[in-house]
Amino acid sequence: MLSLAKRVEISKFFFWLALTLVVMNYTAGVLVYRSYTRKLSNAKALCKIRFEDGSILGEVSIEGFEGLKIRPVDYQIYFYDRRGNVLKMVSNSMFGRSEADFVTSAWSNFQEEDWHARGYSNVSIEWLWLKVNLFLPLEVKIE
């Protein structure tokens, strides 16, 4: 049988060991999370649009995910007027590619100052043991 002093000493040892492991786990989690959010904040989704012969030509690209395994899922682009009415919606799957093109017909009598465009892209991201599905707003540029 161990003496009382020996049992107290062993208890103290396991207490400090457990406390050290908890602090190290918390610190590692904070560092991993900060690195993960920094990598995610560098990501962006772009959509370039141009008009040719009554058609809308567009190119969607997802970029900026250095070090992360990314799989773009799909995109949606909404063309709407000043009152918020949707004039046209374009959506398609990206099948894991970082770039996609689309062609659609333009509405008649359109004037550039009368409509706006907004879009979203859904992506699946993996890094270490972390996996997240999120949507990125598309930055729409008209050429």
Side-chain angles (χ1 to χ4, degrees), residues 46-120:
L46 303 171
C47 177
K48 296 177 185 171
I49 295 175
R50 68 177 192 267
F51 295 94
E52 284 184 12
D53 302 326
S55 296
I56 302 172
L57 300 147
E59 179 184 317
V60 177
S61 63
I62 312 289
E63 56 189 41
F65 286 95
E66 289 83 24
L68 300 176
K69 182 179 178 185
I70 179 171
R71 193 174 66 82
V73 178
D74 63 1
Y75 65 89
Q76 303 90 35
I77 301 168
Y78 303 94
F79 298 93
Y80 59 96
D81 62 11
R82 287 186 207 172
R83 296 182 306 193
N85 298 325
V86 175
L87 302 171
K88 183 175 276 294
M89 182 185 98
V90 178
S91 66
N92 203 353
S93 179
M94 294 184 75
F95 300 109
R97 297 172 304 173
S98 62
E99 293 185 356
D101 296 327
F102 67 89
V103 177
T104 186
S105 60
W107 51 94
S108 60
N109 299 328
F110 72 91
Q111 294 180 358
E112 203 167 309
E113 64 273 355
D114 290 340
W115 60 271
H116 307 281
R118 179 178 298 159
Y120 302 96

Coordinates of all heavy atoms in Angstrom, one line a residue, residues 46-120:
L46 N -15.4 35.0 -58.6 CA -15.6 36.1 -59.6 C -16.5 35.6 -60.7 O -16.4 34.5 -61.1 CB -14.2 36.5 -60.1 CG -13.2 36.9 -59.2 CD1 -11.8 37.1 -59.9 CD2 -13.6 38.2 -58.5
C47 N -17.2 36.5 -61.3 CA -18.0 36.3 -62.5 C -17.9 37.5 -63.4 O -18.1 38.6 -63.0 CB -19.5 36.1 -62.1 SG -20.6 35.9 -63.5
K48 N -17.3 37.2 -64.6 CA -17.2 38.3 -65.6 C -18.2 38.1 -66.6 O -18.4 37.0 -67.2 CB -15.8 38.1 -66.2 CG -14.7 38.4 -65.2 CD -13.3 38.2 -65.9 CE -12.2 38.3 -64.9 NZ -10.9 37.9 -65.4
I49 N -18.9 39.2 -66.9 CA -20.1 39.1 -67.9 C -19.8 40.1 -69.0 O -19.3 41.2 -68.8 CB -21.4 39.5 -67.2 CG1 -21.7 38.5 -66.1 CG2 -22.5 39.7 -68.2 CD1 -22.9 38.8 -65.3
R50 N -20.1 39.7 -70.2 CA -20.1 40.6 -71.4 C -21.3 40.3 -72.3 O -21.8 39.2 -72.3 CB -18.8 40.6 -72.1 CG -18.5 39.3 -72.8 CD -17.1 39.4 -73.5 NE -17.0 38.3 -74.5 CZ -16.4 37.2 -74.2 NH1 -15.8 37.0 -73.0 NH2 -16.4 36.2 -75.0
F51 N -21.7 41.3 -73.0 CA -22.8 41.2 -73.9 C -22.3 41.1 -75.4 O -21.5 42.0 -75.8 CB -23.8 42.4 -73.7 CG -24.4 42.4 -72.4 CD1 -23.8 43.2 -71.4 CD2 -25.5 41.7 -72.1 CE1 -24.4 43.2 -70.1 CE2 -26.1 41.7 -70.9 CZ -25.5 42.5 -69.9
E52 N -22.8 40.2 -76.1 CA -22.5 40.0 -77.5 C -23.7 39.5 -78.3 O -24.3 38.5 -77.9 CB -21.3 39.1 -77.7 CG -20.0 39.6 -77.4 CD -18.9 38.6 -77.7 OE1 -19.2 37.6 -78.4 OE2 -17.8 38.8 -77.3
D53 N -24.1 40.3 -79.3 CA -25.2 39.8 -80.2 C -26.4 39.3 -79.5 O -27.0 38.3 -79.9 CB -24.6 38.7 -81.2 CG -23.4 39.2 -82.0 OD1 -23.4 40.4 -82.3 OD2 -22.6 38.3 -82.2
G54 N -26.9 40.1 -78.5 CA -28.1 39.7 -77.9 C -28.0 38.6 -76.9 O -29.0 38.0 -76.4
S55 N -26.7 38.2 -76.6 CA -26.5 37.1 -75.6 C -25.7 37.6 -74.4 O -24.9 38.6 -74.6 CB -25.7 36.0 -76.3 OG -26.5 35.4 -77.3
I56 N -25.8 37.0 -73.3 CA -25.0 37.2 -72.2 C -23.9 36.1 -72.0 O -24.3 35.0 -71.9 CB -25.8 37.3 -70.9 CG1 -26.9 38.4 -71.0 CG2 -24.9 37.6 -69.7 CD1 -27.9 38.4 -69.9
L57 N -22.7 36.5 -72.1 CA -21.6 35.5 -72.0 C -20.9 35.7 -70.6 O -20.6 36.8 -70.2 CB -20.5 35.7 -73.1 CG -21.1 35.5 -74.5 CD1 -20.3 36.4 -75.4 CD2 -20.9 34.1 -74.9
G58 N -20.8 34.6 -69.9 CA -20.2 34.7 -68.5 C -19.2 33.7 -68.2 O -19.2 32.6 -68.8
E59 N -18.3 34.1 -67.3 CA -17.3 33.1 -66.9 C -17.2 33.2 -65.4 O -17.0 34.3 -64.8 CB -15.9 33.5 -67.5 CG -14.8 32.7 -67.0 CD -13.5 33.2 -67.6 OE1 -13.4 33.5 -68.8 OE2 -12.5 33.2 -66.8
V60 N -17.4 32.1 -64.7 CA -17.3 32.0 -63.2 C -16.0 31.3 -62.8 O -15.7 30.3 -63.4 CB -18.5 31.2 -62.7 CG1 -18.4 31.1 -61.2 CG2 -19.8 31.9 -63.1
S61 N -15.3 31.9 -61.9 CA -14.1 31.3 -61.4 C -14.0 31.4 -59.9 O -14.3 32.4 -59.3 CB -12.8 31.9 -62.1 OG -12.7 33.3 -61.7
I62 N -13.5 30.4 -59.3 CA -13.3 30.3 -57.8 C -11.8 30.2 -57.6 O -11.1 29.4 -58.2 CB -13.9 29.0 -57.2 CG1 -15.3 28.9 -57.7 CG2 -13.8 29.1 -55.7 CD1 -16.3 29.8 -57.2
E63 N -11.2 31.1 -56.8 CA -9.7 31.1 -56.6 C -9.4 31.5 -55.2 O -10.2 32.0 -54.4 CB -9.1 32.1 -57.6 CG -9.6 33.5 -57.5 CD -9.1 34.3 -58.7 OE1 -9.1 33.9 -59.8 OE2 -8.8 35.5 -58.4
G64 N -8.1 31.3 -54.8 CA -7.6 31.8 -53.6 C -7.6 30.8 -52.4 O -7.5 31.1 -51.3
F65 N -7.7 29.5 -52.7 CA -7.7 28.5 -51.7 C -6.4 27.7 -51.6 O -6.4 26.5 -51.7 CB -8.9 27.5 -52.0 CG -10.2 28.0 -51.7 CD1 -11.0 28.5 -52.7 CD2 -10.8 28.0 -50.4 CE1 -12.2 29.0 -52.5 CE2 -12.0 28.4 -50.2 CZ -12.8 29.0 -51.2
E66 N -5.3 28.4 -51.3 CA -4.0 27.8 -51.3 C -4.0 26.9 -50.0 O -4.3 27.3 -48.9 CB -2.9 28.8 -51.2 CG -2.6 29.6 -52.5 CD -3.5 30.7 -52.6 OE1 -4.0 31.3 -51.6 OE2 -3.8 31.2 -53.8
G67 N -3.6 25.6 -50.3 CA -3.5 24.7 -49.2 C -4.7 24.0 -48.7 O -4.7 23.1 -47.9
L68 N -5.9 24.4 -49.3 CA -7.1 23.7 -49.0 C -7.6 22.9 -50.1 O -7.4 23.2 -51.3 CB -8.2 24.8 -48.7 CG -8.0 25.7 -47.5 CD1 -9.1 26.7 -47.4 CD2 -7.8 25.0 -46.2
K69 N -8.3 21.8 -49.8 CA -8.9 20.9 -50.9 C -10.3 21.5 -51.1 O -11.1 21.4 -50.2 CB -8.9 19.5 -50.4 CG -9.5 18.6 -51.5 CD -9.5 17.1 -51.0 CE -10.1 16.2 -52.0 NZ -10.2 14.9 -51.5
I70 N -10.5 22.0 -52.3 CA -11.8 22.7 -52.6 C -12.5 21.9 -53.7 O -11.8 21.5 -54.7 CB -11.6 24.2 -52.9 CG1 -13.0 24.8 -53.2 CG2 -10.7 24.4 -54.0 CD1 -13.0 26.2 -53.4
R71 N -13.8 21.8 -53.6 CA -14.6 21.2 -54.7 C -15.8 22.2 -54.9 O -16.7 22.1 -54.2 CB -15.0 19.8 -54.3 CG -15.6 19.1 -55.5 CD -15.9 17.7 -55.1 NE -17.0 17.5 -54.1 CZ -18.3 17.6 -54.4 NH1 -18.7 17.7 -55.7 NH2 -19.2 17.4 -53.5
P72 N -15.7 23.0 -55.9 CA -16.8 23.9 -56.3 C -18.0 23.0 -56.7 O -17.9 22.1 -57.5 CB -16.4 24.7 -57.4 CG -14.9 24.8 -57.3 CD -14.5 23.4 -56.8
V73 N -19.2 23.3 -56.1 CA -20.4 22.5 -56.4 C -21.2 23.1 -57.5 O -21.5 22.5 -58.5 CB -21.2 22.3 -55.1 CG1 -22.5 21.5 -55.4 CG2 -20.3 21.7 -54.0
D74 N -21.7 24.4 -57.3 CA -22.5 25.0 -58.3 C -22.4 26.5 -58.1 O -21.8 27.0 -57.3 CB -24.0 24.5 -58.2 CG -24.6 24.8 -56.9 OD1 -24.0 25.5 -56.0 OD2 -25.8 24.5 -56.7
Y75 N -23.2 27.2 -59.0 CA -23.3 28.7 -58.9 C -24.7 29.1 -59.4 O -25.3 28.4 -60.1 CB -22.2 29.4 -59.8 CG -22.3 29.1 -61.3 CD1 -23.1 30.0 -62.0 CD2 -21.7 28.1 -61.9 CE1 -23.3 29.8 -63.4 CE2 -21.8 27.9 -63.2 CZ -22.6 28.7 -64.0 OH -22.8 28.5 -65.3
Q76 N -25.1 30.3 -58.9 CA -26.3 30.9 -59.3 C -26.1 32.4 -59.4 O -25.4 33.0 -58.6 CB -27.4 30.7 -58.2 CG -27.8 29.3 -57.8 CD -26.9 28.9 -56.6 OE1 -26.6 29.6 -55.7 NE2 -26.6 27.6 -56.6
I77 N -26.6 32.9 -60.5 CA -26.4 34.4 -60.8 C -27.8 34.9 -61.1 O -28.6 34.3 -61.9 CB -25.5 34.6 -62.0 CG1 -24.1 34.0 -61.7 CG2 -25.4 36.1 -62.3 CD1 -23.2 34.0 -62.9
Y78 N -28.2 36.0 -60.4 CA -29.5 36.6 -60.5 C -29.3 38.0 -61.1 O -28.6 38.8 -60.6 CB -30.2 36.8 -59.2 CG -30.3 35.4 -58.4 CD1 -29.4 35.0 -57.5 CD2 -31.4 34.6 -58.7 CE1 -29.5 33.8 -56.9 CE2 -31.6 33.4 -58.0 CZ -30.6 33.0 -57.1 OH -30.7 31.8 -56.5
F79 N -30.1 38.2 -62.2 CA -30.2 39.6 -62.8 C -31.5 40.1 -62.4 O -32.5 39.5 -62.6 CB -30.1 39.5 -64.3 CG -28.8 38.9 -64.8 CD1 -28.7 37.6 -65.1 CD2 -27.7 39.7 -65.0 CE1 -27.5 37.0 -65.6 CE2 -26.5 39.2 -65.5 CZ -26.4 37.9 -65.8
Y80 N -31.5 41.3 -61.7 CA -32.7 41.9 -61.2 C -32.8 43.4 -61.5 O -31.7 44.0 -61.7 CB -32.9 41.6 -59.7 CG -31.7 42.1 -58.9 CD1 -31.9 43.4 -58.2 CD2 -30.6 41.4 -58.7 CE1 -30.8 43.9 -57.5 CE2 -29.5 41.9 -57.9 CZ -29.7 43.1 -57.3 OH -28.7 43.6 -56.6
D81 N -34.0 43.9 -61.5 CA -34.1 45.4 -61.8 C -34.1 46.1 -60.4 O -33.9 45.6 -59.4 CB -35.4 45.6 -62.5 CG -36.7 45.2 -61.8 OD1 -36.6 44.9 -60.6 OD2 -37.8 45.2 -62.4
R82 N -34.3 47.5 -60.5 CA -34.3 48.3 -59.4 C -35.3 48.0 -58.3 O -35.0 48.2 -57.1 CB -34.5 49.8 -59.8 CG -33.4 50.4 -60.5 CD -33.7 51.8 -60.7 NE -33.0 52.2 -61.9 CZ -33.1 53.4 -62.5 NH1 -33.9 54.3 -62.0 NH2 -32.4 53.7 -63.6
R83 N -36.4 47.5 -58.7 CA -37.4 47.1 -57.7 C -37.2 45.7 -57.0 O -37.9 45.4 -56.1 CB -38.8 47.1 -58.3 CG -39.2 48.5 -58.8 CD -40.5 48.5 -59.4 NE -40.6 47.5 -60.5 CZ -41.6 47.4 -61.3 NH1 -42.6 48.2 -61.3 NH2 -41.6 46.5 -62.3
G84 N -36.2 45.0 -57.5 CA -35.9 43.7 -56.9 C -36.5 42.5 -57.7 O -36.4 41.4 -57.2
N85 N -37.2 42.8 -58.8 CA -37.8 41.7 -59.6 C -36.7 41.0 -60.3 O -35.8 41.6 -61.0 CB -38.8 42.3 -60.6 CG -39.9 43.0 -59.9 OD1 -40.4 42.6 -58.8 ND2 -40.4 44.0 -60.5
V86 N -36.7 39.7 -60.3 CA -35.7 38.9 -61.0 C -36.0 38.8 -62.5 O -37.1 38.4 -62.9 CB -35.6 37.4 -60.4 CG1 -34.6 36.6 -61.2 CG2 -35.2 37.5 -59.0
L87 N -35.1 39.3 -63.3 CA -35.2 39.3 -64.7 C -34.8 38.0 -65.3 O -35.4 37.5 -66.3 CB -34.5 40.5 -65.4 CG -34.8 41.9 -64.9 CD1 -33.8 42.9 -65.4 CD2 -36.2 42.2 -65.3
K88 N -33.7 37.5 -64.8 CA -33.2 36.2 -65.3 C -32.3 35.6 -64.2 O -31.7 36.3 -63.5 CB -32.3 36.5 -66.6 CG -31.8 35.2 -67.2 CD -31.0 35.6 -68.5 CE -32.0 35.7 -69.7 NZ -32.6 34.5 -70.1
M89 N -32.3 34.3 -64.2 CA -31.5 33.5 -63.3 C -30.7 32.5 -64.1 O -31.2 31.8 -65.0 CB -32.3 32.8 -62.3 CG -31.4 32.1 -61.2 SD -32.3 31.1 -60.1 CE -32.2 29.5 -60.8
V90 N -29.4 32.4 -63.8 CA -28.5 31.5 -64.5 C -27.9 30.6 -63.4 O -27.3 31.1 -62.4 CB -27.4 32.2 -65.3 CG1 -26.5 31.1 -65.9 CG2 -28.0 33.1 -66.4
S91 N -28.0 29.3 -63.5 CA -27.3 28.4 -62.5 C -26.9 27.2 -63.2 O -27.5 26.7 -64.2 CB -28.3 28.1 -61.4 OG -29.4 27.3 -61.9
N92 N -25.8 26.6 -62.7 CA -25.3 25.3 -63.3 C -24.4 24.7 -62.2 O -23.9 25.4 -61.3 CB -24.6 25.6 -64.6 CG -24.6 24.4 -65.4 OD1 -24.9 23.3 -65.0 ND2 -24.1 24.5 -66.7
S93 N -24.1 23.4 -62.4 CA -23.2 22.7 -61.6 C -21.8 23.0 -62.1 O -21.6 23.1 -63.3 CB -23.5 21.2 -61.6 OG -22.6 20.6 -60.8
M94 N -20.8 23.0 -61.2 CA -19.4 23.2 -61.6 C -18.6 21.8 -61.6 O -17.5 21.8 -62.1 CB -18.7 24.2 -60.7 CG -19.3 25.6 -60.9 SD -18.5 26.8 -59.9 CE -17.0 27.1 -60.8
F95 N -19.2 20.8 -61.1 CA -18.6 19.4 -61.1 C -17.2 19.4 -60.6 O -16.3 18.7 -61.1 CB -18.6 18.8 -62.5 CG -20.0 18.7 -63.1 CD1 -20.4 19.5 -64.1 CD2 -20.9 17.8 -62.5 CE1 -21.7 19.4 -64.6 CE2 -22.2 17.6 -63.1 CZ -22.6 18.4 -64.1
G96 N -16.9 20.2 -59.6 CA -15.5 20.2 -59.0 C -14.5 21.1 -59.7 O -13.4 21.2 -59.3
R97 N -14.8 21.7 -60.8 CA -13.9 22.5 -61.6 C -13.9 23.9 -61.0 O -14.9 24.4 -60.5 CB -14.3 22.6 -63.1 CG -14.2 21.3 -63.8 CD -14.8 21.4 -65.1 NE -16.2 21.9 -64.9 CZ -17.0 22.3 -65.9 NH1 -16.6 22.3 -67.1 NH2 -18.2 22.7 -65.6
S98 N -12.8 24.6 -61.1 CA -12.7 25.9 -60.5 C -13.2 27.0 -61.5 O -13.3 28.2 -61.1 CB -11.2 26.2 -60.1 OG -10.4 26.2 -61.2
E99 N -13.4 26.7 -62.7 CA -13.9 27.6 -63.7 C -15.1 27.0 -64.5 O -15.1 25.8 -64.7 CB -12.9 28.0 -64.7 CG -11.7 28.8 -64.0 CD -10.7 29.3 -65.0 OE1 -10.8 29.0 -66.2 OE2 -9.8 30.0 -64.6
A100 N -16.0 27.9 -64.9 CA -17.2 27.5 -65.7 C -17.6 28.6 -66.5 O -17.5 29.8 -66.2 CB -18.3 27.0 -64.8
D101 N -18.1 28.3 -67.7 CA -18.7 29.3 -68.7 C -20.1 29.1 -68.9 O -20.7 28.0 -68.7 CB -18.0 29.2 -70.0 CG -16.5 29.5 -69.9 OD1 -16.1 30.3 -69.1 OD2 -15.7 28.8 -70.7
F102 N -20.8 30.2 -69.2 CA -22.2 30.1 -69.5 C -22.6 31.1 -70.6 O -21.9 32.1 -70.8 CB -23.2 30.3 -68.3 CG -23.2 31.6 -67.7 CD1 -24.0 32.6 -68.2 CD2 -22.3 31.9 -66.7 CE1 -24.0 33.9 -67.6 CE2 -22.3 33.2 -66.1 CZ -23.2 34.2 -66.6
V103 N -23.6 30.8 -71.4 CA -24.2 31.6 -72.4 C -25.7 31.6 -72.3 O -26.3 30.5 -72.2 CB -23.8 31.2 -73.9 CG1 -24.4 32.1 -74.9 CG2 -22.3 31.1 -74.0
T104 N -26.3 32.7 -72.2 CA -27.8 32.8 -72.2 C -28.2 34.0 -73.0 O -27.5 34.9 -73.2 CB -28.2 32.9 -70.7 OG1 -29.7 32.8 -70.7 CG2 -27.8 34.1 -70.0
S105 N -29.5 34.0 -73.4 CA -30.0 35.1 -74.1 C -30.3 36.3 -73.2 O -30.7 36.1 -72.1 CB -31.3 34.7 -74.9 OG -32.2 34.3 -74.0
A106 N -30.1 37.5 -73.7 CA -30.4 38.7 -73.0 C -31.8 39.0 -73.1 O -32.4 38.7 -74.2 CB -29.5 39.9 -73.5
W107 N -32.4 39.7 -72.2 CA -33.8 40.1 -72.3 C -33.9 41.3 -73.2 O -32.9 42.1 -73.4 CB -34.4 40.4 -70.9 CG -33.5 41.4 -70.1 CD1 -33.6 42.7 -70.0 CD2 -32.4 41.0 -69.3 NE1 -32.7 43.2 -69.2 CE2 -31.9 42.2 -68.8 CE3 -31.8 39.8 -69.0 CZ2 -30.8 42.2 -67.9 CZ3 -30.7 39.9 -68.2 CH2 -30.2 41.1 -67.6
S108 N -35.0 41.5 -73.8 CA -35.1 42.6 -74.8 C -35.2 43.9 -74.1 O -35.7 44.0 -73.0 CB -36.4 42.4 -75.7 OG -37.5 42.3 -74.9
N109 N -34.8 45.0 -74.8 CA -34.9 46.4 -74.3 C -34.1 46.5 -73.0 O -34.6 47.3 -72.1 CB -36.3 46.8 -74.1 CG -37.0 46.8 -75.4 OD1 -36.4 47.0 -76.5 ND2 -38.3 46.5 -75.4
F110 N -33.0 45.8 -72.8 CA -32.3 46.0 -71.5 C -31.4 47.3 -71.6 O -30.9 47.6 -72.7 CB -31.4 44.8 -71.2 CG -30.2 44.6 -72.0 CD1 -29.0 45.2 -71.7 CD2 -30.3 43.9 -73.2 CE1 -27.9 45.0 -72.5 CE2 -29.2 43.8 -74.0 CZ -28.0 44.3 -73.6
Q111 N -31.3 48.0 -70.5 CA -30.4 49.1 -70.4 C -29.6 48.9 -69.2 O -30.1 48.5 -68.2 CB -31.2 50.4 -70.3 CG -31.9 50.7 -71.6 CD -32.7 52.0 -71.5 OE1 -32.7 52.7 -70.4 NE2 -33.3 52.4 -72.5
E112 N -28.3 49.1 -69.3 CA -27.4 48.7 -68.3 C -27.7 49.4 -66.9 O -27.4 48.8 -65.9 CB -25.9 49.1 -68.7 CG -24.9 48.3 -68.0 CD -23.5 48.5 -68.7 OE1 -23.4 48.3 -69.9 OE2 -22.6 48.7 -67.9
E113 N -28.2 50.6 -66.9 CA -28.5 51.2 -65.6 C -29.8 50.7 -64.9 O -30.0 51.0 -63.8 CB -28.5 52.7 -65.8 CG -29.7 53.2 -66.6 CD -29.3 53.3 -68.1 OE1 -28.2 53.0 -68.5 OE2 -30.2 53.6 -68.9
D114 N -30.6 50.0 -65.6 CA -31.8 49.5 -65.1 C -31.8 48.1 -64.4 O -32.8 47.7 -63.9 CB -32.9 49.4 -66.2 CG -33.3 50.8 -66.7 OD1 -33.1 51.8 -66.0 OD2 -33.8 50.9 -67.8
W115 N -30.7 47.5 -64.4 CA -30.6 46.1 -63.8 C -29.3 46.0 -63.0 O -28.3 46.7 -63.2 CB -30.7 45.0 -64.8 CG -29.7 45.1 -65.9 CD1 -29.7 45.8 -67.0 CD2 -28.4 44.4 -65.8 NE1 -28.5 45.6 -67.7 CE2 -27.7 44.8 -67.0 CE3 -27.8 43.6 -64.9 CZ2 -26.4 44.3 -67.3 CZ3 -26.5 43.1 -65.2 CH2 -25.8 43.5 -66.3
H116 N -29.3 45.0 -62.2 CA -28.1 44.7 -61.3 C -27.9 43.1 -61.4 O -28.9 42.4 -61.7 CB -28.3 45.1 -59.9 CG -28.7 46.6 -59.8 ND1 -27.8 47.6 -59.9 CD2 -29.9 47.2 -59.6 CE1 -28.4 48.7 -59.8 NE2 -29.6 48.5 -59.6
A117 N -26.8 42.7 -61.0 CA -26.5 41.3 -60.9 C -25.9 40.9 -59.6 O -25.1 41.7 -59.0 CB -25.6 40.8 -62.1
R118 N -26.3 39.7 -59.1 CA -25.7 39.2 -57.8 C -25.7 37.7 -58.0 O -26.5 37.1 -58.6 CB -26.6 39.6 -56.7 CG -26.2 39.0 -55.3 CD -27.0 39.5 -54.2 NE -27.0 40.9 -54.1 CZ -28.0 41.6 -53.5 NH1 -29.0 41.0 -53.0 NH2 -27.9 42.9 -53.4
G119 N -24.7 37.1 -57.4 CA -24.6 35.6 -57.5 C -23.9 35.0 -56.3 O -23.4 35.7 -55.4
Y120 N -24.0 33.7 -56.2 CA -23.5 32.9 -55.1 C -22.9 31.6 -55.7 O -23.3 31.1 -56.8 CB -24.6 32.5 -54.1 CG -25.3 33.7 -53.5 CD1 -26.5 34.2 -54.1 CD2 -24.7 34.3 -52.5 CE1 -27.1 35.3 -53.5 CE2 -25.3 35.5 -51.9 CZ -26.5 35.9 -52.4 OH -27.1 37.0 -51.9

